[in-house]
Amino acid sequence: IMDHHLQHKNIATLACHSYPRFNKVSLGKDGEILQFSPCSEAHKLVAFTGVHVLESHVLSAVSLGFSSILDCYNAWIKKGTRVQAMMVRDHFWLDMGTPADYLDLHRVLLARQDSPFLVHPSVEVKDVIFKDWVSVGKNAILGKGCQLERVVVWDNATVAPGACLKDTIVT
């Protein structure tokens, strides 16, 4: 991505791909981003992966009242500044922007492991039942007799004794 960015001398280069659920970025024929929503001038609609390279001298502009980097990019595009997409393929990418997506990401990653249960070594597991898949972070406390099914327990979180949790995130 950096090589592409330097070759094309853009103010920003965004890694994009085709992901139908999120294909909302409008591209011109040369890969220039027209806007971050569908438009009639679009040659193609793609999804932004969240990976981007931008020139260091423009970083100060990002923090000047913009709540999202996309708002910043849209403002630059309206002023005629070139923001370009670089299409990427053959990579692993899943959205984790909603609790359901975050849990699904864990399901997919744990399915690639030897065990669907990932528990940090600092966690004591006594009289606990795990089902399907579970991820437990550092220094979490699992109460006696709890049952966890498709659950992510964050670092330092506590699961109450006897709790029966399913499809949730414990913070």
Side-chain angles (χ1 to χ4, degrees):
I1 295 171
M2 180 61 86
D3 288 343
H4 185 274
H5 178 78
L6 294 172
Q7 286 174 356
H8 291 85
K9 296 182 170 89
N10 300 309
I11 198 165
T13 303
L14 285 64
C16 294
H17 61 167
S18 181
Y19 201 89
R21 178 176 161 202
F22 295 107
N23 284 354
K24 295 178 176 43
V25 179
S26 293
L27 297 186
K29 288 184 181 182
D30 63 351
E32 184 174 359
I33 295 175
L34 303 175
Q35 65 185 44
F36 288 88
S37 59
C39 71
S40 59
E41 298 84 30
H43 173 71
K44 183 179 194 177
L45 290 177
V46 298
F48 173 41
T49 65
V51 176
H52 41 152
V53 175
L54 52 143
E55 292 297 303
S56 61
H57 69 274
V58 299
L59 286 175
S60 59
V62 173
S63 62
L64 297 176
F66 292 104
S67 60
S68 162
I69 189 67
L70 299 185
D71 293 338
C72 186
Y73 288 150
N74 276 326
W76 290 345
I77 291 166
K78 283 181 183 174
K79 291 179 184 177
T81 304
R82 185 174 171 84
V83 177
Q84 188 174 26
M86 178 189 161
M87 296 303 294
V88 294
R89 292 171 183 78
D90 301 323
H91 61 283
F92 176 81
W93 186 91
L94 282 177
D95 181 65
M96 58 179 207
T98 67
D101 289 337
Y102 182 77
L103 289 170
D104 192 50
L105 173 63
H106 282 77
R107 176 192 61 79
V108 169
L109 292 175
L110 289 170
R112 296 176 171 199
Q113 305 300 312
D114 291 335
S115 170
F117 307 117
L118 179 64
V119 180
H120 191 275
S122 65
V123 176
E124 186 176 330
V125 180
K126 285 188 178 176
D127 298 321
V128 174
I129 297 171
F130 292 152
K131 295 180 182 176
D132 203 351
W133 61 263
V134 175
S135 176
V136 181
K138 183 178 178 182
N139 297 321
I141 299 171
L142 303 179
K144 184 177 179 178
C146 71
Q147 297 179 34
L148 305 177
E149 182 176 356
R150 297 184 302 276
V151 171
V152 175
V153 181
W154 283 3
D155 293 354
N156 304 306
T158 300
V159 176
C164 293
L165 303 178
K166 183 177 182 179
D167 300 316
T168 195
I169 304 161
V170 181
T171 60

